[in-house]
Structure formats: C-alpha cells, structure tokens
Amino acid sequence: MKRETVSRAVRGTWVLTIASLFSEFLSAVYRIPLQNIVGDRGYFIYQQVYPIYGIFSVLALTGLPVVLSKTFAQQENDAAKNRLLKLTFVILLAISIGATAVLWGASRYIASFMGDPSLYLEIRTVSLAFLLVPFEASLRGLFQSDLIMEPSAISQVLEQFIRIVLIIVAAVMFSKSTINLYQMGALANSGSFFGGIVAVVVLLFTFFKKERNFFQKTNSVNVKLEKGLGLEIILIIFFTGITIFYQFIDSFSMLRLLMRSGMPLNQAEIMKGVFDRAQPLIQLGIVISLSFISTIMPQLRQGQQSEKNKSLINSMVRVCIVLAIAETAGLIALMPDVNTMLFTDSTGSVALAIYMCSIFFVSTINLLIAVTSGDASKNFAKLLIFIFSLIIKIGLNIILIPRFHISGAALATVGSEIVILIGLILIYRRDLEFLSLSWDFMVKSLSSGLIMALSVRALEQFTLHFIELTRGTSVLINLILIPVGILIFVFLIAHLKILKKSEWEILPLGAKITKFIKVEE
C-alpha cells in the first residue's frame, strides 16, 4: 500500500473524529444549561422526541454517508459518480418527502403513544429536518469516498453550532416565561432543520466549487452496484443508529413501565430525564468508532484493492477497540463525578454507569458490521439478529424497569447489545482472525481497561474521604483523575505490547508517544 494512501486515510479519520468530537462536546455542553434551566422534566420533554432527530442524524451524518461512500468509491470514473449522485439524490428525496409527510400527519398519534399528547408540535418540527437528508447524505458520501473529510467535518460542526444556539435561546426564553415547556421543546428541536440548512449550503458550495460537469447528461454511463446493496444500506443504517432505536423503545415504554411500579407521572418524567443524561456521553463515546468506519468503508473494494488495504483496516479496527475500552472504563469509574459536573448532582449514576458499557459494545458491533459489509451472504442473518435484539430490549424493559427503574432500562439496553455481539461472533467465529482480533488481544485490552478503572475508582474514593462531592469538587476530581487514568492505560497498553508501533502511530501524536515510551515494532 502506498504510504500516501495510509496518510490520507489516517488524516481523514482524525479530521472527522476531531470535528465529531467537537460537535459532540458542544452537544454535551448545551445539555448542561438546558437541564439546569428547564430541570429534569423539561429535559425529558426535549429528549423524548430526540430519537426522531437521531434517525435523521444517522441518515444525514453517519450511517447513510458511510455506506454511500463505499459505493461511490467503487465507480470507475467521475461520470459514473455523477450519475450515481443524481440517482441517489432522487431516491432519497422521494423517501424523505414521504417520511416528513408521515411524521407530520401522524404526529398526534405518535405523541399520544409516547405518553404525552402535547409533544406533537415537537414531532412536526423535527420532521422537517428529513427534507435535508438527500443533500447531506449524498454529498457527504461522495466526499468521503475520496477520503476528503473536511467538507463533512466543517458542515457537521456548523450544523451542530446553529442547533445548539437555538436550543439555548429556547431554554432562556422559557426561563423568562416567554414560552411554555412544549413551545421550548419545539423551538429547541427546530435547530435540527435550521442547522441542517447551513450544512447543506456548505456542502453544495464545496461541491460546485470542485465539480464543473455535474449537469452534463450521464444517462449512458454505467453505474457499478454491488449485489445486495439495498440490504447492506439497511444494515449500516440500523447498526450505526443502534442506540437511537433502543432510545425509541425507551421513549414509547419507559413512562408507562415506571408508572406501573407505582411512580407518579411527574416523577416518572423526571426519572426519564435523568436517564437521558447518558445520551451525550454515549454519543461522544462512539464518535471515534464511527469516524474510523467512515474511513474504512471507502477502502472496502472488491478484489485486489481490498487486499491492498487489509493491513491498514486491521490496524484501525484494533486501535478503535482499544480506545473504546479506555472510554468505557474511564466513564464508569468516574460516573458520579462526571454526572455531578455536567448535571449538578449524582442522581442516577449507577444506571448511567451501566449504560456506559454501550460505548464498547456498540463500537465493536459497528466495526464488525462495517468490515464485513461486503459479505452479502450473511447480511440477512445480521438483520435478523438486529430485529431479535429489539425484541429482547422490549422484553427486558418490561421485566426490569418496574423492578429496577432506570437501572433496569440500562441493563436492558446493554443486554440487547450483548445479544447482537454474540450473534455476530457466532456468524463469523471462523473468520475473526482476519481482523487480528485474537483472544490474547481482547483479554489484554479488557484487562487493561479493568485495571485502569479500578485504580481510578480507588483514587476517587480516597479523595472523597477528604472532600465532599459537589459540582466544584467534581470538576477538580475529573481534571486530576482523567489524565491519571490515561497515563495508567497507556502504560498498560505499552507494557503488555497490545498495539504494534504502526498502530500507535495511527493515534494523534502517536509517533512522539512511541519515542517517549520506547515502543518497538
């Protein structure tokens, strides 16, 4: 493989990762004033409709652009790419108009099914964002197929920024009694539409600045499509948006199940709001894996090209899993402090800590689905596993939420993800070696995460013997113990020789780290 290709791939990964991390950082930050101003019940009202926006996000930002990037990369020339872009846009436009019409027309029924009929206005507001999917998904997929990640990154950050500004404006207007809670929710959710418009403008400007032959006739040009592409698209969308679909189930079931245990409606809404504190942390955690996948997918071409990139793909998968383990372990260890720092108190920390396991499971699932996406023979089996996991999630919610409340919902989600992971491992039990995911690698990586988490947790508990956990002290604890946890984990990874030197160099400042800790190939 040419070194230039590797450099572009790694650079592209981290451009998109940094932009996504910054976007998700903003997403986490806005939830602090939002929850502080409107309270857990107001946060619940905003968050209850969030899964609908989440589906838009999967279609426009992650899942759909990822699989389209692979298809664009398989085209033989620019003319074929232009024809594919036109076809993709028309198909997505028809689907998006239909989705918006259905959501708008059925908004009152959906809101009633969620347990609060007044949510219909929020649902209608969010539905408008789907009209932007054809522009965002197709253009991001095209750019990412050439490993040009900057347009996706810039548009994503601007989209999130505009969205967050409107959310904060809505919260401030509510605090001054200018609007009620439901109007606040509708105005806050309108940010997905207005932010999306800004993203579309950026993507179109970049495209037409680069592409001068788009409007030429391409009817006679052949477009190369893989067999089973439709099912592959469905799989990538489902699995990259796996947490969103679980959130959908929680939105439609949690209130009723909490009330079944004897909890009054108002308290149930507050507890659902507490449970939803986990969402920005989960999203932040899986950003890295989604960014790695965005780079891996265009390189999964048939035949020789796929073999050529095999080494880089294996390395990126291993690095991504190590990072996911580190994130998961660190957040679990520091959850009471992170919860207090972001949301003023440690309510629901046990449930949120359980929920953090999703970062590792979802990242691993997404990677396995991405790198095996070309295996059409097993795609239907993967789809059945996904559907089965949704059924398991519903069943576990019914059993666990009345007894364990929001901790039960977290256990139900993690349990459903484990079902998917076990199913995928069973399907590819003879082929996982091609990813270099040996048992030795996994055991050492998980052991490193466990040791780091226990060490950080012990230090945190020792510290709390001398100071009380408040918002101010939680900031101090996190500022000290997060770097400590990183150092412990890096030492363990290096000492156990879990990553090769070339894999360390995939990380930001990786070359300098290898010199400092003296990693040898």
Side-chain angles (χ1 to χ4, degrees):
M1 188 193 320
K2 292 182 179 178
R3 186 170 184 84
E4 180 184 353
T5 304
V6 176
S7 299
R8 285 182 63 198
V10 172
R11 180 176 177 273
T13 297
W14 288 111
V15 165
L16 201 56
T17 297
I18 292 168
S20 299
L21 283 171
F22 182 66
S23 296
E24 293 302 334
F25 173 75
L26 292 176
S27 183
V29 167
Y30 86 74
R31 282 170 164 83
I32 300 171
L34 178 63
Q35 187 265 352
N36 291 349
I37 294 171
V38 303
D40 282 320
R41 183 168 181 267
Y43 187 56
F44 152 80
I45 287 172
Y46 165 78
Q47 193 71 27
Q48 189 73 342
V49 179
Y50 183 84
I52 299 177
Y53 165 77
I55 290 178
F56 160 76
S57 180
V58 169
L59 293 172
L61 295 176
T62 53
L64 198 49
V66 162
V67 73
L68 288 177
S69 70
K70 177 186 173 185
T71 307
F72 277 116
Q74 292 171 339
Q75 305 311 309
E76 294 180 356
N77 50 50
D78 289 340
K81 286 188 176 184
N82 279 344
R83 176 150 175 77
L84 178 60
L85 181 64
K86 294 173 184 176
L87 291 172
T88 302
F89 180 82
V90 170
I91 293 170
L92 289 179
L93 183 62
I95 294 172
S96 298
I97 291 173
T100 300
V102 169
L103 285 171
W104 186 282
S107 58
R108 292 184 185 274
Y109 300 102
I110 296 172
S112 296
F113 194 45
M114 285 182 170
D116 191 340
S118 299
L119 292 171
Y120 82 94
L121 188 59
E122 286 185 72
I123 295 171
R124 288 185 173 181
T125 304
V126 174
S127 71
L128 296 175
F130 284 84
L131 296 174
L132 304 175
V133 169
F135 300 93
E136 296 196 58
S138 57
L139 289 174
R140 284 189 171 114
L142 177 64
F143 291 132
Q144 288 170 203
S145 70
D146 294 323
L147 299 180
I148 301 173
M149 304 300 185
E150 288 82 359
S152 294
I154 294 169
S155 62
Q156 182 176 334
V157 170
L158 288 175
E159 181 173 351
Q160 190 74 291
F161 179 75
I162 298 298
R163 177 171 163 262
I164 289 167
V165 167
L166 280 173
I167 289 170
I168 300 303
V169 167
V172 171
M173 290 177 68
F174 168 76
S175 70
K176 295 182 177 180
S177 302
T178 306
I179 55 178
N180 62 35
L181 271 177
Y182 295 100
Q183 291 170 330
M184 178 279 299
L187 179 58
N189 279 292
S190 71
S192 59
F193 177 68
F194 291 107
I197 289 176
V198 173
V200 168
V201 170
V202 171
L203 292 168
L204 285 174
F205 175 80
T206 307
F207 174 74
F208 284 114
K209 184 179 178 181
K210 175 179 178 293
E211 180 57 60
R212 303 181 187 278
N213 301 317
F214 177 70
F215 293 106
Q216 290 184 356
K217 290 185 177 181
T218 54
N219 295 338
S220 59
V221 177
N222 290 324
V223 173
K224 188 177 180 181
L225 298 176
E226 282 187 336
K227 184 179 179 181
L229 178 62
L231 184 56
E232 182 181 340
I233 290 173
I234 292 172
L235 278 175
I236 292 293
I237 290 172
F238 280 178
F239 280 100
T240 53
I242 187 171
T243 58
I244 301 298
F245 290 99
Y246 291 151
Q247 287 176 49
F248 242 115
I249 293 171
D250 289 331
S251 291
F252 286 112
S253 64
M254 191 178 293
L255 281 186
R256 289 184 174 85
L257 292 170
L258 288 173
M259 291 169 67
R260 182 186 293 179
S261 69
M263 192 178 292
L265 175 61
N266 188 62
Q267 182 63 25
E269 290 180 337
I270 291 173
M271 291 309 297
K272 176 61 165 58
V274 170
F275 181 75
D276 287 334
R277 295 179 183 184
Q279 302 311 325
L281 300 174
I282 297 291
Q283 291 167 357
L284 197 63
I286 63 175
V287 154
I288 292 177
S289 67
L290 292 176
S291 298
F292 271 77
I293 291 167
S294 295
T295 306
I296 289 171
M297 285 295 283
Q299 301 175 73
L300 296 176
R301 304 175 187 176
Q302 293 178 331
Q304 187 177 359
Q305 188 66 26
S306 178
E307 288 297 320
K308 183 180 178 182
N309 295 335
K310 181 180 177 181
S311 176
L312 176 60
I313 292 169
N314 288 354
S315 296
M316 296 181 87
V317 168
R318 285 161 57 89
V319 170
C320 188
I321 287 178
V322 167
L323 291 175
I325 290 171
E327 291 175 296
T328 302
L331 282 169
I332 290 173
L334 289 172
M335 182 45 65
D337 312 279
V338 172
N339 193 12
T340 303
M341 180 178 70
L342 294 179
F343 301 108
T344 72
D345 59 50
S346 60
T347 304
S349 291
V350 172
L352 301 185
I354 295 169
Y355 208 168
M356 291 306 105
C357 295
S358 293
I359 295 173
F360 168 70
F361 289 121
V362 171
S363 295
T364 307
I365 289 167
N366 283 340
L367 286 165
L368 290 176
I369 290 296
V371 298
T372 60
S373 62
D375 184 6
S377 65
K378 295 175 182 176
N379 279 350
F380 187 69
K382 297 175 200 173
L383 182 60
L384 290 179
I385 290 172
F386 177 80
I387 294 171
F388 181 63
S389 82
L390 296 181
I391 296 171
I392 293 293
K393 166 65 175 171
I394 294 169
L396 290 176
N397 268 12
I398 293 171
I399 295 169
L400 298 176
I401 291 178
R403 184 171 181 179
F404 300 108
H405 298 163
I406 60 175
S407 293
L411 286 168
T413 296
V414 173
S416 302
E417 292 161 357
I418 291 173
V419 167
I420 291 180
L421 186 56
I422 291 174
L424 291 175
I425 290 173
L426 289 175
I427 290 175
Y428 287 101
R429 60 188 179 278
R430 298 176 182 174
D431 304 314
L432 288 181
E433 282 299 321
F434 84 96
L435 292 176
S436 300
L437 296 180
S438 64
W439 282 110
D440 181 65
F441 167 79
M442 293 303 299
V443 169
K444 285 183 178 180
S445 299
L446 290 169
S447 298
S448 299
L450 179 62
I451 293 170
M452 181 266 281
L454 291 174
S455 302
V456 169
R457 185 66 174 166
L459 290 170
E460 187 255 5
Q461 289 297 299
F462 176 77
T463 305
L464 291 179
H465 278 294
F466 302 97
I467 59 175
E468 182 184 355
L469 182 60
T470 64
R471 195 168 202 179
T473 58
S474 68
V475 173
L476 180 63
I477 290 170
N478 286 318
L479 285 175
I480 295 172
L481 292 187
I482 288 174
V484 169
I486 292 172
L487 289 174
I488 292 172
F489 191 75
V490 168
F491 170 79
L492 290 169
I493 294 297
H495 180 71
L496 296 174
K497 298 180 179 179
I498 295 172
L499 294 180
K500 304 172 185 175
K501 184 178 180 181
S502 59
E503 292 167 347
W504 278 100
E505 291 174 350
I506 290 175
L507 296 167
L509 304 177
K512 294 182 179 179
I513 293 173
T514 56
K515 290 180 181 178
F516 181 74
I517 59 179
K518 298 179 180 179
V519 175
E520 297 180 359
E521 192 63 63

